[in-house]
Amino acid sequence: MEEKTIQRRDFLKFLVLGSVAAGGLRLARLTSASETGGSSPYRWGMVIDQDKCTGCGQCTLACRAHNDVPPEISWNRVLEAGKVGDKQVYLPRPCMHCEEAPCVDACMVGASYQRADGIVMMDYDKCIGCRYCEVACPYGARAFNWETFDGPNPAVPEWGQPEVERRPRGVVEKCSFCYQRIDRGLKLGLKPGVDEEATPACVVECPMGARKFGDLNDPESEVSILIKDHPYFQLREDLGTSPRVFYLPAREEAA
Amino acid sequence: MIRIKRFTIQPVHFWIAFLMLLVGAGLVAYGIVLVKGLSVTNLSDLVPWGLWITIDLSAIALSAGAFTLCAVVYLLGLKQYEPVARTATFVGLIGYSMALLTLLLDIGRPDRFWHALVYWNTHSLLWEVSMCLTLYLCVLLLETAPLIGRTDWMQARFPWLSNKMMHIHHFAPFLALLGLGLSMLHQSSLGATYGVLIARPIWYKPSLSVLFMFSAIVGGPALTVLITKVSGRLTSRAKVDDSLLEKITLFIGWALVGYIYFRFWDAFSMTYTYEPGRTEALRMMTSGPLAFNFLVGEMLLGAIIPAILLLVPRFRKSWSAQVIALSLIVAGVVAYRWDINMSGLLVVLTYLPQEVTTIYTTYFPSLIEIISGVGVVAYGALAITLAVRYLNLVDHSGKEKEVVETPVVVAGTD
């Protein structure tokens, strides 16, 4: 009998200790998790017109300079995408900022997260570099910092000045829709997509005007009107990720 | 008075020296990786996971003997297997520490390993895996404590601590239950880690979690029995009761048959239609660069032949046939993990709208990856060897029973 009560007491101790430990972890988590909630009147999106893109790659260079991206990484690649008629067609590929982003679900520490305005962000201070998000992204939009980027950036100053902090070795990085330009612009009363200072660098730099940026919630914005009036496609729509980058396909008559 | 024992060099000393050499080389490689970063590997943005993740997954799978045998002993109540479960628990502890060592190497920011526990994204499979892993490691530490507590050295030097450590044995059924839950969760979630990724068609299916679980239940006990049998043959310090192991090997054999059935349908029921990415990856496993590993390594040597060796009574009676079969199963589990990881990474689906095509990538681990990986494995082998020699890891003689029961009286009267 006596033995039994002791065992029960010990078992209770065991339970209490266990729940205290779990509670402690929970508390630590609550005090440290970055807030991804809240609401925003905006839903940022990009429209890329393949008829206008000539594959010059200036968007990539502008992106490298403004976001201080190392030369071996491209947040924004320009791929050859077949031909329409005799014309070579290109496909610029930034991060899709998916509504249902596989990388956000995959990230175990919540370093990939979605802002209320839809931008899929990276918290470089949280990322542990496990690279699960790279495996999860269907668009190859993510790049790992295999090495420290400590030299001068060859794209600076010709293509712009860095606006964000350089990422350390060992974390994954990707396109952020130039959130720093959007946030700063909004504070100054500017309109992203209209005012250059508040618009992603690749959109501003494109010499052909092939890229448009704006608020998908605003029916009057240029992007909303473009996708209302034109046939468009998104990359790998079949996956159900709902990308916020819309492409206007190249047409034969325009070639 | 110190009595000097005469020291004679035995073959085991060469074995230990050899392992220490490998561990040393591994440590150097480990240091190089920590200092220079992951650029010393052959990993890339297209193949971000390679040899280390395979070692990591295999070590966890092969540690599954701990929860399987503990469940058999403490939840099904088959007390006679208790000494085998004890071996399995220690093997599990070493296996999980190997996994953690490899993981630490594999992440880009090892200094932030604790983020996995503090920052939670409950949607992530890897979050669940890292939670279960940490909690299960605690369970394994508690389960192993009596094994260390009952050594003569501990009893002589720290009698109080030794008593406490042995006292934990009373909670064995609770720990077994907890271990069963945590293990089933993360063993299958490791499969689901791959299985939920819609970007990789060959992985995107529910069966991966089932197969990871199933192969762990086959491979874990196989490694435990293998270690037991080999140490029983090599040293008099291991006291092996072969009749105990007989039933376990039979169980492994039949479980293997079940696994072959599931794996067969998992692999070949995909072929009815062409699906971009998935069909290419499957072709890679049947006639491409993974074909030898899949058909010969994983299926023929890793599953079919050991099933025959373990289920035909004539073979099962032979020590060497059993040891060969169990080694093949262990290697087969590793081959399975390699095939799963590589088949999804060597075929990448493009996202171009007009032409959803596949591109092929290549990967072969760099020397640093191999040396550090071998170092981790050698550490595991060294820990097991030393435990067999000094912790009575393998002891089916039943002598330890009375030692364990002593503290019950102590606990009851205080």
Side-chain angles (χ1 to χ4, degrees), chain B residues 207-226:
Chain B
S207 57
L208 279 185
S209 7
V210 180
L211 279 163
F212 266 58
M213 182 76 195
F214 213 137
S215 59
I217 290 178
V218 176
L223 180 64
T224 300
V225 176
L226 176 68

Side-chain angles (χ1 to χ4, degrees), chain A residues 15 20 23 58 74 92 108 114-115 128-129 136 161-162 173 177 234:
Chain A
L15 274 186
V20 165
Q58 293 193 21
S74 290
M108 66 163 125
Q114 194 151 32
R115 301 205 319 186
I128 61 170
Q161 286 296 332
E173 62 178 62
F177 264 179
Q234 293 148 293

Side-chain angles (χ1 to χ4, degrees), chain A residues 74-75 93-96 137-143 173-175, chain B residues 351:
Chain A
S74 290
W75 284 9
R93 191 239 51 208
C95 169
M96 298 293 124
C137 177
Y139 307 104
R142 293 173 159 266
E173 62 178 62
K174 66 163 204 71
C175 155
Chain B
Y351 40 82

